Amino acid sequence: MVPDTTTSPRTGRQELLTALGEIEQRVLWLSAATIDHANRVRPNPTGLKVGGHQASCASMVSIMTTLWFHALTADDRVSVKPHASPALHAVNHLLGELPAEALTTLRSFGGLQSYPSRTKDPDPVDYSTGSVGIGATAPIWGALARRYVEGRFPGAGTGRQYALLGDAELDEGACWEAVQDPMVAGLGEVVWIVDLNRQSLDRVVPALSAERLAGMFEAAGWQVLTLKYGEQLTELFSRPGGEALRTRLDTMGNPEYQRLLRCTPAELRDRLPGTGSTREPLERLVATLDDDALHSAVRNLGGHDLGALLDAYAAIDDTRPTVILAYTVKGRGLHSEGHPQNHSSLLTRDQLADLATRTGADPDDPWRPLPDGAAARLCAERAEELRRPPVGRIAPPPVPTDFGRTPGGTGTTQQAFGRALLDLSRSAPEAAARVVTVSPDVSSSTNLGGWLNKVGVWSPAERVDWFADDAETILHWRENPTGQHVELGIAETNLVGLLGELGATWSRWGQPLLPIGIMYDPFVNRALEPWQFGIYAGGQSLLVGTPSGVTLAPEGGAHQSITTPSLGLEQPGCTTWEPAFAQDAEWCVLAALSLLGRPDGGSAYLRLSTRPVDQSLAAVPADPAARERRRRQAVAGAYGLRRAEGTPDVTLAAMGAMVPEALAAADRLASLGVAADVVCVTSPGLLFRATQARRGLDDAPQWVLDQAFPAERAAPLVTLLDGHPHTLAFLGTVHNTPVTPLGVTHFGQSGALDEVYRHHGIDTESVVRAALDLTHRP
């Protein structure tokens, strides 16, 4: 709970506000000085702009000061808007979490990151931010992840999840997708504080309406607290002419108000009264104010009033999410305050010196500690109160590598995925208990039905399943706090946002989860940015894209994913697999799960298909040693599926659903006297890393290249996949052989599978033609 703000166990309210005011000025100075040092003091041989956002920090210092130095508890977590990164580092410095010399390293190699980073910054950062809107929504999913962990593996505790965001971030649709998701309305620990400075990068936003924003939040069930005016303006409203002043400010457009911030006192006396009915009473009111009072009053907004901020924190309703709309001035306290182009402007030397004078700092000793007194004592006391004990991490339970059975008949890799989850619950119940699946309303269509029937759906409270006694109901929707599946609305960005936070519980609270997100593969692109940002922030998870590719022929071109295999290859911190057979799918799922919840672990992307394939084509060895050799190769990236007698004339390297076409092409080529090896590629990313390692550019294992593509069998290469052909084109560099990459390069259309394959040139005929061209056969 937030401490009482009327009195304090340390001191009375006024003494508290005085100490906070001194800290606020020091945070303003340190953030500005940190950016100035990066741009003007630290050597910069290249002359390239370093950057930083002094104005964006300045609008947040009051909010951050009151939050860290009074309201936060050690259990709370805070996401800080990207451009206020230097202000966060200033706060951490005053709390003793960052040495002064670190403030000189902003945006330097190995130093403080441009934007807050959980994994790269040396001081405490609760949420990585930097991509607009994603940092704002992360605490929502962090709150849900904490509740999930606490309900199953106690120890995550309580605590609010704050997001400090700029008003321009609310332009991002991801924010509103998260705000209105049905899962969010009951998360009372979520608090958003909007830095309502009414500016974007280029301009003052003319039509931003806090009333409209408030209505949107209220409609989603959020508590809305609006801090528009500070104590000084509120007092002026009670004087003669005060109502006219309120009316004038309430009806004034954002650009006109911002222009007042750039006026001299004499200009203010002329401009503020306006030209309408408010002019005469306002002129009389303004005449009672001296220049300093007038200058101070016009910028006395609620987001800079320390007392109003403390009262707002105390008024938070912990039964529902809360948004605090805090009116602020961008660049407040700087010479650039309120200017429409102050977004990345830097103070001049003289302006910085003036700021030092006004904030009690020393430009020649910019990192000088606060003098002994109430502010320094408050910093020390809060440092002790906010100190978190080290996280005691629990190792995730072992995941088996093989269930020991071989799928037969005809099946799909999507079906194999669903069976693997059920087999895991039987073979390794401790590991299965850590699995949590997430999907955006596609559970039944992605073969999760059996898993859901077994483990149930997670909900903060138990809900009645009114169809439990319906004989025709196959998918049983049992919602309770012990369920292991989280169902969100149809918003892929929400899914991967939650996935990233579920994948970070091992590092936040020491409790590892094995989170799996399932979505239609064509929509992975929609979720790509928040997914990769979750990986950057240390969230480890398995993303399953299914169904995929032009194997969705009847669905048409819009639903035929083309680029996802390449994206999986290119994503740092992620291993991608696209298995061809059910056995490979099982092995890859287990390998992916074994990577999760570990300091040395990582995320994975599994691309699956609904194309039925004859499982006998996999030719899984019966001998246990040979079977294990095949498993290791499949998990490592590729294996030789068929070897021609003697030296091959051509190698066909195929991935996923296209392997049957490669095998059929090899048979056709053999009848033409062309010997073809067939290699089944399961992970282009792992193979690429292996090729890089051969060049000394990576530390990945290389043995899989020797086993899948032995040098003595090097031959011209045809690569084939249901995706963009460049994904596998690099395989020609393994032995510097000619290569013809086949795949999908343009939007498709509806049709039968053979028609669509022929349209894209990935059918058996196309593979045979490519091989004959490479081998110069007639």
Side-chain angles (χ1 to χ4, degrees):
M1 296 297 293
V2 173
D4 175 53
T5 59
T6 304
T7 59
S8 168
R10 309 180 194 90
T11 181
R13 181 178 173 92
Q14 188 52 54
E15 289 80 1
L16 171 63
L17 293 175
T18 299
L20 289 172
E22 186 176 347
I23 295 171
E24 173 193 36
Q25 291 301 296
R26 185 52 60 98
V27 173
L28 175 64
W29 163 256
L30 287 173
S31 60
T34 296
I35 296 168
D36 180 79
H37 189 281
N39 286 272
R40 292 209 173 97
V41 179
R42 192 171 65 227
N44 182 10
T46 66
L48 293 175
K49 174 185 173 183
V50 176
H53 302 86
Q54 291 174 330
S56 295
C57 289
S59 64
M60 288 292 295
V61 294
S62 307
I63 294 169
M64 295 177 69
T65 297
T66 51
L67 199 59
W68 264 271
F69 294 94
H70 185 72
L72 287 184
T73 72
D75 286 333
D76 297 337
R77 299 291 188 274
V78 188
S79 170
V80 177
K81 76 172 188 177
H83 292 162
S85 169
L88 175 60
H89 297 309
V91 166
N92 282 334
H93 168 65
L94 292 175
L95 291 172
E97 298 283 2
L98 190 69
E101 55 267 23
L103 296 175
T104 67
T105 68
L106 179 69
R107 300 192 174 205
S108 67
F109 185 77
L112 299 177
Q113 298 299 295
S114 304
Y115 309 123
S117 172
R118 282 192 75 224
T119 57
K120 295 181 181 295
D121 275 319
D123 52 332
V125 174
D126 293 329
Y127 289 98
S128 296
T129 59
S131 191
V132 173
I134 295 175
T137 60
I140 290 178
W141 313 123
L144 202 156
R146 187 205 61 77
R147 286 201 182 196
Y148 184 92
V149 169
E150 182 63 19
R152 299 187 64 84
F153 311 104
T158 59
R160 288 177 177 164
Q161 303 285 324
Y162 289 88
L164 310 184
L165 62 150
D167 49 14
E169 287 193 79
L170 294 177
D171 291 344
E172 288 289 341
C175 290
W176 299 107
E177 288 181 343
V179 165
Q180 63 81 42
D181 192 278
M183 274 290 185
V184 174
L187 299 177
E189 61 268 48
V190 172
V191 181
W192 280 14
I193 305 176
V194 181
D195 173 14
L196 203 69
N197 59 51
R198 302 164 306 287
Q199 282 188 237
S200 61
L201 189 150
D202 294 325
R203 60 174 181 155
V204 178
V205 181
L208 179 66
S209 168
E211 292 77 13
R212 178 175 59 85
L213 294 175
M216 294 167 70
F217 279 104
E218 287 170 345
W222 287 50
Q223 177 192 25
V224 178
L225 302 174
T226 300
L227 301 181
K228 189 169 187 179
Y229 300 120
E231 182 179 349
Q232 184 182 3
L233 271 176
T234 302
E235 190 277 326
L236 286 177
F237 295 154
S238 67
R239 297 187 189 182
E243 281 304 313
L245 175 60
R246 183 193 291 273
T247 300
R248 172 81 169 111
L249 292 174
D250 281 346
T251 58
M252 184 182 295
N254 295 329
E256 183 182 3
Y257 171 77
Q258 297 281 108
R259 183 63 185 88
L260 294 181
L261 302 176
R262 310 292 299 169
C263 291
T264 65
E267 291 172 328
L268 266 179
R269 295 181 190 280
D270 178 59
R271 286 176 179 255
L272 180 58
T275 58
S277 60
T278 61
R279 184 168 183 85
E280 186 176 340
L282 272 181
E283 284 181 329
R284 291 195 298 268
L285 177 60
V286 167
T288 67
L289 305 176
D290 62 29
D291 286 352
D292 288 343
L294 181 60
H295 179 274
S296 174
V298 78
R299 51 193 30 83
N300 181 228
L301 300 182
H304 299 300
D305 189 294
L306 302 180
L309 286 163
L310 296 184
D311 292 341
Y313 304 148
I316 292 171
D317 176 3
D318 286 316
T319 66
R320 54 181 173 151
T322 295
V323 61
I324 300 174
L325 301 175
Y327 280 74
T328 61
V329 173
K330 191 166 183 176
R332 186 178 185 271
L334 308 180
H335 282 72
S336 62
E337 66 179 359
H339 193 281
Q341 280 86 53
N342 67 4
H343 182 78
S344 57
S345 65
L346 296 173
L347 298 179
T348 66
R349 285 287 185 208
D350 290 342
Q351 291 169 348
L352 190 72
D354 178 65
L355 178 65
T357 300
R358 289 186 286 111
T359 58
D362 182 354
D364 296 323
D365 187 10
W367 325 119
R368 186 181 65 189
L370 282 168
D372 291 340
R377 288 195 298 274
L378 180 56
C379 289
E381 290 167 2
R382 290 299 289 160
E384 190 61 33
E385 292 166 359
L386 294 176
R387 187 163 292 116
R388 298 169 184 162
V391 175
R393 293 174 182 166
I394 297 173
V399 176
T401 59
D402 191 345
F403 293 133
R405 60 174 178 76
T406 304
T410 299
T412 73
T413 53
Q414 177 175 290
Q415 292 168 340
F417 167 69
R419 283 197 302 269
L421 291 182
L422 290 174
D423 286 345
L424 184 70
S425 66
R426 290 187 285 264
S427 301
E430 289 188 4
R434 298 274 172 173
V435 171
V436 52
T437 55
V438 187
S439 71
D441 198 37
V442 294
S443 302
S444 56
S445 58
T446 53
N447 283 85
L448 278 183
W451 168 255
L452 262 67
N453 287 342
K454 183 175 182 62
V455 303
V457 178
W458 182 84
S459 175
E462 187 165 0
R463 296 174 180 170
V464 176
D465 180 7
W466 293 105
F467 288 87
D469 58 351
D470 187 325
E472 296 184 8
T473 297
I474 299 175
L475 184 64
H476 298 289
W477 207 257
R478 295 179 291 105
E479 296 180 88
N480 55 65
T482 63
Q484 289 180 245
H485 175 77
V486 182
E487 184 92 354
L488 299 176
I490 305 177
E492 284 76 15
T493 55
N494 287 351
L495 179 143
V496 294
L498 175 57
L499 203 60
E501 291 307 317
L502 289 168
T505 60
W506 67 274
S507 58
R508 287 199 196 282
W509 300 294
Q511 289 288 356
L513 296 176
L514 308 181
I516 305 173
I518 304 96
M519 69 173 66
Y520 289 161
D521 195 70
F523 305 146
V524 167
N525 279 326
R526 184 183 300 175
L528 180 60
E529 185 188 11
W531 174 54
Q532 67 184 16
F533 211 80
I535 295 174
Y536 170 79
Q540 299 175 1
S541 60
L542 168 58
L543 180 63
V544 179
T546 182
S548 66
V550 300
T551 56
L552 283 169
E555 298 286 342
H559 278 62
Q560 296 170 6
S561 50
I562 297 171
T563 61
T564 48
S566 174
L567 296 173
L569 179 154
E570 296 161 8
Q571 175 59 46
C574 176
T575 302
T576 177
W577 283 286
E578 184 171 342
F581 302 106
Q583 184 64 76
D584 297 347
E586 173 194 298
W587 287 334
C588 292
V589 167
L590 296 176
L593 292 177
S594 71
L595 296 174
L596 305 180
R598 303 164 25 182
D600 60 343
S603 293
Y605 162 55
L606 207 63
R607 189 175 190 248
L608 303 179
S609 173
T610 51
R611 183 192 183 188
V613 172
D614 178 1
Q615 298 302 306
S616 67
L617 296 176
V620 179
D623 179 79
R627 177 187 176 95
E628 172 59 15
R629 182 173 184 269
R630 165 71 68 85
R631 185 200 68 80
R632 290 183 67 246
Q633 292 174 338
V635 168
Y639 58 87
L641 180 57
R642 182 183 296 179
R643 299 298 190 194
E645 292 186 11
T647 302
D649 300 304
V650 66
T651 297
L652 309 180
M655 186 167 73
M658 304 310 304
V659 169
E661 273 62 37
L663 290 171
D667 291 338
R668 289 270 300 278
L669 289 168
S671 69
L672 297 173
V674 178
D677 280 357
V678 178
V679 176
C680 180
V681 175
T682 54
S683 176
L686 290 176
L687 294 184
F688 181 75
R689 289 195 60 192
T691 62
Q692 291 289 86
R694 278 192 171 179
R695 299 176 176 87
L697 302 176
D698 204 318
D699 60 356
Q702 306 171 38
W703 61 265
V704 66
L705 296 178
D706 297 326
Q707 294 190 9
F709 301 95
E712 66 272 14
R713 301 190 69 82
L717 188 67
V718 176
T719 65
L720 177 67
L721 77 154
D722 185 357
H724 200 284
H726 85 82
T727 307
L728 297 180
F730 73 91
L731 289 176
T733 67
V734 174
H735 296 298
N736 294 319
T737 55
V739 59
T740 297
L742 301 180
V744 182
T745 58
H746 51 276
F747 294 118
Q749 54 185 327
S750 300
L753 196 60
D754 57 342
E755 295 173 320
V756 174
Y757 278 6
R758 192 178 310 115
H759 171 72
H760 289 288
I762 54 175
D763 59 329
T764 300
E765 293 278 348
S766 298
V767 178
V768 171
R769 284 197 301 268
L772 293 176
D773 287 342
L774 277 175
T775 56
H776 306 292
R777 297 300 177 95

